[in-house]
Amino acid sequence: MTRINQITIHNIFLFDQNSSTINDVNPLKEFFNFLKYKNKKRTIDFCYSCEKDSLHQNLSIKENFILDAVPKSLIRDGEDNLKQFLKTLKNPHLKTLIAQLEDLSSKIDTLNPEQLKLASVIKSLLSQSEYIFLLNPDQHLSLKNLQLIKKGIQFEVYHRHRNVVIKAKNRDLWMDISGQIISKCHSSFQFSCKENPLLANQEKNEKIV
């Protein structure tokens, strides 16, 4: 049975339907509706990862990171401060993911599908936002990079107390790190949120042992 990291999971939310099965729903609108369900009526600081839709096409990877992910106090000197900022990162999995991009000066419109996905997800993890919404974070990725992203997410949730909401191409790929499963009532905008059944089964088996 897949083991779930019980320290980090409760702030990782997973929609119960694969994104490919719903064609008439705006994912970002659905994310906002879910926040309303969670009674988040105050202003929410969030970052949205959706490949090209969350990247500035006429800029390089590096420029995207500087513009949207690096703290504003460090933007003034641009590239030099980006290098310093990346050196201070505590998340080892995020550092490894950044290394996968190789040339941060590459323009977004020259990247292949996997590089686009990595740049988008990395930018959201680099951000200072409280909530991260990841749309199809499993798409176009090698198994190695998928596992790195999972570990990177868990590190951010545990060490930086962030909330991650995932709407995946394949929900089953994320069940091992998700603590809460989001279901939507099709006849309304209401949501329900329940504990991942894998977690309940794991706790039961551990008690038996």
Side-chain angles (χ1 to χ4, degrees):
M1 174 180 289
T2 302
R3 289 189 61 81
I4 299 176
N5 187 329
Q6 297 197 37
I7 295 177
T8 66
I9 61 163
H10 291 293
N11 285 356
I12 302 177
F13 303 85
L14 177 67
F15 279 94
D16 66 350
Q17 291 181 295
N18 295 335
S19 62
S20 59
T21 63
I22 305 176
N23 298 318
D24 59 343
V25 174
N26 181 315
L28 192 54
K29 183 177 180 180
E30 194 167 39
F31 169 62
F32 287 135
N33 287 333
F34 171 67
L35 289 185
K36 290 180 181 178
Y37 158 76
K38 293 289 290 181
N39 293 320
K40 300 295 183 182
K41 296 182 180 179
R42 58 184 173 81
T43 301
I44 296 295
D45 183 18
F46 76 94
C47 190
Y48 178 48
S49 171
C50 182
E51 291 185 23
K52 289 185 178 181
D53 289 346
S54 52
L55 295 168
H56 302 280
Q57 298 301 300
N58 59 332
L59 301 180
S60 67
I61 300 172
K62 174 173 55 185
E63 290 167 332
N64 268 274
F65 289 173
I66 292 172
L67 184 61
D68 291 330
V70 177
K72 289 182 174 56
S73 60
L74 297 179
I75 290 178
R76 187 175 303 167
D77 295 323
E79 184 174 349
D80 288 340
N81 277 337
L82 174 63
K83 291 178 180 178
Q84 293 301 316
F85 172 68
L86 295 180
K87 287 180 181 179
T88 66
L89 289 180
K90 304 297 184 183
N91 189 332
H93 316 293
L94 189 51
K95 288 184 176 181
T96 304
L97 284 168
I98 293 171
Q100 302 299 311
L101 291 172
E102 298 180 352
D103 185 5
L104 295 184
S105 64
S106 298
K107 294 289 185 180
I108 297 301
D109 59 8
T110 67
L111 303 182
N112 64 39
E114 181 166 34
Q115 291 171 326
L116 273 173
K117 178 61 67 176
L118 285 174
S120 177
V121 172
I122 289 169
K123 190 176 84 165
S124 67
L125 295 178
L126 282 174
S127 74
Q128 308 301 302
S129 56
E130 177 186 359
Y131 274 82
I132 300 173
F133 179 37
L134 302 177
L135 179 62
N136 301 333
D138 47 326
Q139 192 174 27
H140 305 310
L141 288 181
S142 66
L143 180 59
K144 174 185 176 182
N145 284 331
L146 176 62
Q147 294 303 321
L148 280 171
I149 286 175
K150 286 183 177 182
K151 292 177 180 178
I153 289 171
Q154 289 180 301
F155 187 98
E156 292 296 306
V157 170
Y158 178 55
H159 291 281
R160 297 181 61 193
H161 311 294
R162 306 176 77 183
N163 299 278
V164 179
V165 182
I166 301 169
K167 193 173 183 72
K169 270 290 183 185
N170 184 350
R171 180 198 74 158
D172 293 341
L173 292 175
W174 301 91
M175 290 292 286
D176 59 336
I177 69 166
S178 301
Q180 302 292 322
I181 307 300
I182 307 168
S183 299
K184 180 182 177 183
C185 176
H186 293 291
S187 60
S188 68
F189 292 106
Q190 297 299 311
F191 292 88
S192 63
C193 203
K194 61 183 179 181
E195 185 178 70
N196 184 341
L198 289 181
L199 175 62
N201 290 338
Q202 178 176 309
E203 290 177 340
K204 181 179 179 181
N205 290 338
E206 287 177 347
K207 287 179 180 179
I208 293 175
V209 173

